[in-house]
Amino acid sequence: AAKAAGKRCVRSSGEAIDAALSRRTRLARDLPAALDEGQLRVLYQPVVGVHDRRVLGLEALVRWEHPLLGTIPPDEFIPLAEEDGLIVPLQRYVLGVATRKAAVLLADGWDVQMGVNVSARHLQAGCLAPDVAAALTAAQLPAGKLILEITESVLLDMHDRLLSDLATLRGMGCVLSLDDFGAGYSSLAYLARLPVQVLKMDREFVAGIETDPRVRVLVAGVVELGRTLGMDVVAEGVETDGQLEQLRAMDCRFLQGYLFGRPMPFEQLRALLSGFDPSVLDAGGPVEPEV
Ligand code: C2E
Ligand code: MG
Ligand code: MG
Ligand code: MG
């Protein structure tokens, strides 16, 4: 019986792999239409100040609304776009939308910075800096309002040309942020070489902050490191009041996570901003998390 069960198990995992492969193949096939037919949607998640929960920034996060398969998360289709050479037009699209929305908010009187995730492939293609410049000009957005979020995948292939492109972006006035800091391969050595002004601490650290004293020491250390280097530190993935309290005690100034708001459509975010009532926050009342 055990043998039969083992066989069944092997077969069903084989079927699972087949299913995953066919979904992947299908998504890769349908991806060009996603761009051409406007199936990509950009959501915005707030980044708030630790003391007053004021919205200080946003992060643009792309989704694919597939006509038959529903919402596809970026972790699933960004890698496909990177393989198929569609990543550059995709990133141009996100940059275009996000900078225009940031300009709308600025015109509304909100002093917020807009974060856009950068693909290593876009940087490798050599056109990130001109594409960013074009988006800023088209949106009439000051460069200092755009934060470019870079992950370790960029760093794995750190040629001098990539570094000089990052320096160009920095020279234009864009803000550079090191995303998912502490996860994967990112190391202190990168911090010394990259011209970044913001550290985004990976949410795995935040997740362990309440339960694991060693993680708490590490997080406090990263916050202190950022402060010493003159960088802004953002904690990602804040979900509980307990995590918020710990981060407040460490004086980690910038927070992002479901506790403050999920990624949401632009009009919902705009409504959230205009409903902002500082007196509620002074009283310590929570801002309703948006779902
Ligand atoms: P990221 O840049 O680290 O973005 C943060 C991710 O954490 C987002 O997932 C966000 O929805 C999620 N998140 C935020 N707060 C919480 C929380 O409190 N708890 C939990 N469990 N998760 C939280 P999302 O939107 O699925 O994006 C995943 C990744 O896809 C991003 O990670 C980023 O690396 C990539 N990505 C998203 N949009 C783009 C894009 O336009 N271009 C590129 N190249 N990559 C993108
Ligand atoms: Mg990011
Ligand atoms: Mg991140
Ligand atoms: Mg990530």
Side-chain angles (χ1 to χ4, degrees), residues 180-241:
D180 302 346
F181 182 75
Y185 304 96
S186 62
S187 76
L188 296 178
Y190 296 127
L191 263 191
R193 291 190 66 188
L194 287 169
V196 295
Q197 298 123 285
V198 180
L199 275 191
K200 289 190 88 170
M201 207 171 2
D202 195 72
R203 71 166 179 267
E204 254 180 65
F205 286 109
V206 175
I209 204 173
E210 283 180 283
T211 48
D212 189 338
R214 303 215 310 175
V215 170
R216 199 175 309 147
V217 171
L218 278 174
V219 171
V222 171
V223 172
E224 186 54 34
L225 179 73
R227 201 193 336 270
T228 308
L229 292 172
M231 294 173 177
D232 290 334
V233 178
V234 183
E236 294 191 311
V238 182
E239 293 183 353
T240 70
D241 285 314

Side-chain angles (χ1 to χ4, degrees), residues 218-285:
L218 278 174
V219 171
V222 171
V223 172
E224 186 54 34
L225 179 73
R227 201 193 336 270
T228 308
L229 292 172
M231 294 173 177
D232 290 334
V233 178
V234 183
E236 294 191 311
V238 182
E239 293 183 353
T240 70
D241 285 314
Q243 291 165 350
L244 168 62
E245 282 319 310
Q246 292 285 345
L247 290 160
R248 203 204 306 268
M250 294 170 191
D251 200 24
C252 178
R253 304 267 180 76
F254 304 95
L255 310 176
Q256 182 179 5
Y258 294 168
L259 185 65
F260 313 103
R262 294 197 175 233
M264 63 186 92
F266 181 71
E267 287 311 325
Q268 192 180 338
L269 180 107
R270 210 176 176 192
L272 176 89
L273 282 172
S274 53
F276 182 84
D277 176 1
S279 66
V280 173
L281 301 173
D282 289 344

Side-chain angles (χ1 to χ4, degrees), residues 68-280:
L68 295 172
L69 301 175
T71 305
I72 315 288
D75 285 332
E76 204 175 346
F77 68 89
I78 294 284
L80 299 177
E82 289 179 332
E83 281 168 26
D84 291 0
L86 289 171
I87 192 67
V88 169
L90 187 154
Q91 290 292 145
R92 282 183 185 142
Y93 173 76
V94 175
L95 275 168
V97 175
T99 51
R100 282 198 302 275
K101 297 303 189 197
V104 168
L105 294 178
L106 277 190
D108 281 353
W110 300 108
D111 189 18
V112 291
Q113 289 179 310
M114 177 70 75
V116 174
N117 291 285
V118 167
S119 165
R121 291 288 146 68
H122 197 180
L123 195 55
Q124 284 157 0
C127 54
L128 178 64
D131 286 350
V132 166
L136 290 171
T137 304
Q140 299 203 312
L141 184 73
K145 297 299 173 193
L146 181 65
I147 303 182
L148 298 167
E149 300 194 0
I150 303 159
T151 55
E152 64 194 24
S153 55
V154 171
L155 312 174
L156 286 177
D157 187 19
M158 200 159 50
H159 299 309
D160 286 345
R161 188 176 59 74
L162 297 193
L163 284 174
S164 87
D165 286 352
L166 291 178
T168 301
L169 288 162
R170 184 71 199 91
M172 282 164 49
C174 296
V175 179
L176 300 183
S177 165
L178 193 51
D179 205 352
D180 302 346
F181 182 75
Y185 304 96
S186 62
S187 76
L188 296 178
Y190 296 127
L191 263 191
R193 291 190 66 188
L194 287 169
V196 295
Q197 298 123 285
V198 180
L199 275 191
K200 289 190 88 170
M201 207 171 2
D202 195 72
R203 71 166 179 267
E204 254 180 65
F205 286 109
V206 175
I209 204 173
E210 283 180 283
T211 48
D212 189 338
R214 303 215 310 175
V215 170
R216 199 175 309 147
V217 171
L218 278 174
V219 171
V222 171
V223 172
E224 186 54 34
L225 179 73
R227 201 193 336 270
T228 308
L229 292 172
M231 294 173 177
D232 290 334
V233 178
V234 183
E236 294 191 311
V238 182
E239 293 183 353
T240 70
D241 285 314
Q243 291 165 350
L244 168 62
E245 282 319 310
Q246 292 285 345
L247 290 160
R248 203 204 306 268
M250 294 170 191
D251 200 24
C252 178
R253 304 267 180 76
F254 304 95
L255 310 176
Q256 182 179 5
Y258 294 168
L259 185 65
F260 313 103
R262 294 197 175 233
M264 63 186 92
F266 181 71
E267 287 311 325
Q268 192 180 338
L269 180 107
R270 210 176 176 192
L272 176 89
L273 282 172
S274 53
F276 182 84
D277 176 1
S279 66
V280 173

